[in-house]
Amino acid sequence: KVVKLYIESMKLKLKSQLEYRLSFILTFISQIGVFFTYYFMTVALFQRFDNIKGFTLYEVLLCFSIIHFGFAFNETFFRGVDKFDKFIIDGSLDRLLVRPRGVLYQVICSEMDFVKVARIIQSLIIFFIAISHLNIEWNIINILLIIAMFLSSIILFFGIFLLMASYCFITIHGLEVRNLLTDGGKQMAQYPIGIFRKGFIFIFTFIIPYASVNYYPLLYLLGKSNNTLYILSPLLIVVYLIPCFLSFKIGLKHYSSTGS
C-alpha cells in the first residue's frame, strides 16, 4: 500500500506539472544548460592542468557524476523534505499530523520536481563517458561498489535534507546554511575530497561524510589504494542517517503549531 500510494502521488504530480507543458519543457531545457555549465567548467579546468593532485579529468568526472546523481535524485523525488519550512510556515504540518500516514511519508509524497530528471540523465551520461575512458577492472566487487556509491549518494543528501528539515523546527524559516551544506557541499564533493586542505577533508569525512560516498571508494576502484576498508565506506552513510532521523523525530515531538 505504501509503495502504491507513492506511485499514485508521483503520477498526480507529474500530470499536474505537465498541465503547463511549454513551461515544463523550457524549464527542463534550462536544467540541461545549468548542469552542463558545471561540466564544462570542470573540463575547462583540465585544459589548463593535466591532473589535480594525481586525479585525471575522467577520474574527476566519475566523482562528479556520482555526487550530482544523488543530489538530483533527491531534488526530484524528495523535494518536500528540502522545502519542509513551507509546511511549518503555512500551517500544512498541522494537517499532516492528524492524518493516519506518517508525517515524513506525507511530506515526501507532497512535493516532486520532475524537471530535475534532466540532471539525473545527464549525471548518468557523464558517468558512462567517464568509465569508458578509465581502466577499471570489472569484477563483482567493483560493480557492487559503484552501485553502493550511487545509493550512498542518494542517502547522504536525503540525510542532509532531513537534518535541515529538523533545523526548521527551531528557526521556522529554512536558512542559507541549508544551501551551504547541499549546494556548497555538492560543489566541493564533485572533486575528490583529497585535493583540499586537511581541515576540509576532516569536515567532509567525519561531519558531513561526502568522502565516504565518492572519494575513499574511488581510491579503491581506481587502484590508487589497496585498503579494503574503503569498500565499506559507503555503508557509513547509513550510520549517518540515524541521527538525521532522530533529530527529525525529536523536532516533531516538540513541535507546536505556528498558528498559521
Side-chain angles (χ1 to χ4, degrees):
K1 279 189 175 181
V2 172
V3 176
K4 186 178 179 181
L5 183 59
Y6 179 77
I7 292 171
E8 288 300 318
S9 299
M10 189 187 300
K11 289 178 180 177
L12 288 172
K13 291 298 176 183
L14 181 59
K15 185 178 179 181
S16 67
Q17 290 175 31
L18 289 175
E19 285 293 319
Y20 302 94
R21 195 154 298 180
L22 180 60
S23 175
F24 182 88
I25 293 169
L26 291 175
T27 309
F28 191 91
I29 293 170
S30 71
Q31 290 298 316
I32 294 173
V34 170
F35 187 89
F36 271 118
T37 300
Y38 301 144
Y39 169 75
F40 287 129
M41 285 174 64
T42 305
V43 173
L45 180 64
F46 280 89
Q47 298 300 311
R48 181 70 177 82
F49 305 101
D50 292 332
N51 66 83
I52 304 177
K53 284 196 172 182
F55 290 93
T56 64
L57 170 62
Y58 293 106
E59 289 172 347
V60 170
L61 287 180
L62 179 57
C63 196
F64 175 100
S65 63
I66 289 168
I67 210 70
H68 278 274
F69 176 87
F71 184 71
F73 191 95
N74 275 271
E75 282 205 311
T76 302
F77 299 105
F78 306 135
R79 189 66 170 171
V81 185
D82 187 35
K83 299 293 183 183
F84 187 75
D85 53 330
K86 288 185 357 183
F87 291 91
I88 297 177
I89 293 167
D90 65 12
S92 300
L93 183 57
D94 297 11
R95 294 195 297 272
L96 299 185
L97 286 166
V98 298
R99 292 174 181 169
R101 293 290 177 186
V103 170
L104 183 58
Y105 178 74
Q106 293 181 72
V107 169
I108 290 171
C109 290
S110 67
E111 289 275 349
M112 299 174 198
D113 190 357
F114 287 99
V115 295
K116 298 297 172 63
V117 170
R119 297 194 179 196
I120 295 176
I121 295 169
Q122 288 170 290
S123 298
L124 291 174
I125 290 170
I126 292 171
F127 169 75
F128 285 112
I129 290 171
I131 62 172
S132 67
H133 288 83
L134 293 172
N135 186 25
I136 297 174
E137 182 184 349
W138 292 110
N139 53 47
I140 189 65
I141 293 175
N142 286 344
I143 291 170
L144 290 174
L145 184 57
I146 284 178
I147 294 170
M149 290 165 75
F150 275 108
L151 291 176
S152 63
S153 182
I154 294 170
I155 294 169
L156 173 65
F157 282 108
F158 181 75
I160 294 172
F161 282 4
L162 204 56
L163 204 58
M164 293 300 98
S166 308
Y167 191 63
C168 292
F169 285 114
I170 301 171
T171 62
I172 308 300
H173 289 272
L175 302 180
E176 286 304 309
V177 68
R178 176 173 62 192
N179 294 331
L180 177 65
L181 296 179
T182 53
D183 289 292
K186 175 194 67 177
Q187 293 301 322
M188 290 193 66
Q190 69 185 16
Y191 298 97
I193 297 297
I195 70 173
F196 298 106
R197 293 181 180 274
K198 290 182 179 180
F200 285 108
I201 295 173
F202 178 83
I203 291 170
F204 287 101
T205 299
F206 298 105
I207 299 177
I208 310 171
Y210 281 102
S212 295
V213 171
N214 66 344
Y215 175 60
Y216 295 116
L218 191 73
L219 293 179
Y220 182 86
L221 189 68
L222 298 176
K224 294 179 181 291
S225 173
N226 294 321
N227 191 338
T228 53
L229 290 177
Y230 290 169
I231 302 173
L232 302 176
S233 61
L235 297 178
L236 294 176
I237 305 302
V238 179
V239 178
Y240 173 75
L241 196 59
I242 295 171
C244 297
F245 268 116
L246 288 175
S247 65
F248 185 81
K249 286 189 69 174
I250 292 169
L252 199 61
K253 184 179 180 181
H254 293 90
Y255 167 74
S256 57
S257 175
T258 55
S260 303

